[in-house]
Amino acid sequence: MAATASPAAGGMDGKPRTSPKSVKFLFGGLAGMGATVFVQPLDLVKNRMQLSGEGAKTREYKTSFHALTSILRAEGLRGIYTGLSAGLLRQATYTTTRLGIYTVLFERLTGADGTPPGFLLKAVIGMTAGATGAFVGTPAEVALIRMTADGRLPADQRRGYKNVFNALIRIVREEGVPTLWRGCIPTMARAVVVNAAQLASYSQSKQFLLDSGYFSDNILCHFCASMISGLVTTAASMPVDIAKTRIQNMRMIDGKPEYKNGLDVLVKVVRYEGFFSLWKGFTPYYARLGPHTVLTFIFLEQMNKAYKRLFLSG
């Protein structure tokens, strides 16, 4: 991510020329959408496992592999891509906003001599970008959670959304506009944790690898930094993520919601399912988040480099 702030050819005023803000936002969204195409099946498995055992019921899936094979057996190859349209819209809104804001703030806070912001400032930038992006992307997130969870329900209880736009329209019609932002607070809280960990740890890991002298600014360096970033992010954000997932998928029971808030989810999970259930689905979460982080940053770095080569050089 820090590479986006590196100087290109100088402009008329002697300052480094960088891509327009609109291009930064566009590249951020495209990078996230490209990564989602590859990792959507893992996202589906992660969501199903986080909902497995809800309400002290017997867990539906023993392992990530069991979940994947069960979904394939019951819903077919096409079933593992359920919710792809919602995943793409989520990236188009959430990732476009968060990476665009992060890139702009990173550049503004980079010293005149090219010195990048310190670790704590990177974390603050990441949290600000993440919370803003999460608010914008919550409607698509609600649709994504519901669409990926649908296949685990009996046929008569499924919502049956055809695509993300059908989901959004039906949610508004059947449950009201505010439902599009259900779970907004835990979604933003998760984004704060994810972005503080992901964006800051990526920049810091990349900087560390470059300073070691064993890496140059290439895809291998981006890959290693992304994998480190993904591991840190997974461990830090899973408890908040499970709260977000369950709130956004919950139904009303006798006119009352299943959960009061994110804290209520966490308390009930610990009480009925055990403390380590807060990290339920760790493997598919990292298997999804790790590659998604890797692919997002690789796509982003390559698009930035191509833009600089084609439009900012000379």
Side-chain angles (χ1 to χ4, degrees):
M1 197 70 191
T4 58
S6 60
M12 293 294 290
D13 56 1
K15 294 181 179 180
R17 295 172 61 194
T18 60
S19 53
K21 291 181 178 62
S22 58
V23 172
K24 293 183 177 69
F25 277 69
L26 175 64
F27 284 176
L30 289 176
M33 292 173 74
T36 293
V37 172
F38 291 92
V39 304
Q40 178 64 23
L42 296 171
D43 208 18
L44 182 141
V45 171
K46 184 267 294 184
N47 289 339
R48 293 282 180 91
M49 290 194 72
Q50 288 186 332
L51 293 167
S52 176
E54 187 176 17
K57 297 176 183 176
T58 303
R59 292 189 182 186
E60 299 163 69
Y61 311 115
K62 299 175 183 177
T63 64
S64 304
F65 182 73
H66 178 226
L68 181 60
T69 54
S70 298
I71 294 168
L72 283 170
R73 191 181 303 114
E75 301 168 51
L77 186 62
R78 192 174 174 182
I80 64 173
Y81 270 93
T82 299
L84 178 60
S85 61
L88 292 174
L89 181 61
R90 177 181 180 274
Q91 294 301 322
T93 52
Y94 168 66
T95 301
T96 298
T97 304
R98 78 179 179 110
L99 288 182
I101 289 177
Y102 183 87
T103 302
V104 170
L105 291 177
F106 191 99
E107 288 188 352
R108 287 195 176 184
L109 295 171
T110 295
D113 59 352
T115 304
F119 180 78
L120 290 179
L121 191 51
K122 287 175 187 172
V124 172
I125 294 172
M127 289 186 286
T128 302
T132 306
F135 180 81
V136 174
T138 295
E141 182 92 30
V142 172
L144 174 64
I145 295 300
R146 291 185 174 196
M147 290 176 75
T148 54
D150 220 26
R152 62 187 284 272
L153 298 171
D156 61 333
Q157 294 181 24
R158 295 177 185 175
R159 293 180 170 104
Y161 300 136
K162 297 177 182 178
N163 53 57
V164 65
F165 299 109
N166 174 250
L168 296 176
I169 291 170
R170 281 186 50 193
I171 289 170
V172 171
R173 185 186 302 144
E174 297 168 11
E175 303 172 60
V177 174
T179 306
L180 293 176
W181 275 271
R182 175 178 289 172
C184 182
I185 300 302
T187 301
M188 293 175 71
R190 172 191 175 275
V192 166
V193 175
V194 165
N195 286 278
Q198 186 186 66
L199 294 172
S201 62
Y202 174 81
S203 295
Q204 201 71 12
S205 299
K206 180 181 172 184
Q207 195 172 314
F208 172 79
L209 293 174
L210 291 174
D211 291 344
S212 72
Y214 294 102
F215 292 84
S216 56
D217 192 359
N218 54 26
I219 289 182
L220 176 62
C221 176
H222 305 158
F223 175 83
C224 292
S226 296
M227 290 304 291
I228 295 170
S229 173
L231 184 61
V232 172
T233 304
T234 299
S237 65
M238 278 211 72
V240 189
D241 190 70
I242 196 170
K244 173 196 72 67
T245 298
R246 293 199 175 184
I247 285 178
Q248 291 177 331
N249 187 60
M250 71 179 179
R251 292 178 180 272
M252 304 296 285
I253 300 176
D254 297 327
K256 297 181 180 180
E258 292 180 69
Y259 303 107
K260 298 175 184 177
N261 49 49
L263 181 60
D264 185 43
V265 175
L266 298 180
V267 169
K268 288 180 177 177
V269 169
V270 173
R271 180 184 300 163
Y272 298 117
E273 302 169 48
F275 177 75
F276 289 103
S277 290
L278 294 177
W279 285 270
K280 185 187 293 182
F282 185 94
T283 301
Y285 190 97
Y286 179 65
R288 180 261 181 203
L289 186 61
H292 193 277
T293 303
V294 171
L295 291 169
T296 296
F297 281 116
I298 286 177
F299 288 156
L300 186 61
E301 297 269 9
Q302 296 310 306
M303 284 189 286
N304 280 323
K305 285 188 174 182
Y307 187 89
K308 289 175 182 178
R309 185 176 65 252
L310 295 173
F311 299 103
L312 301 180
S313 62

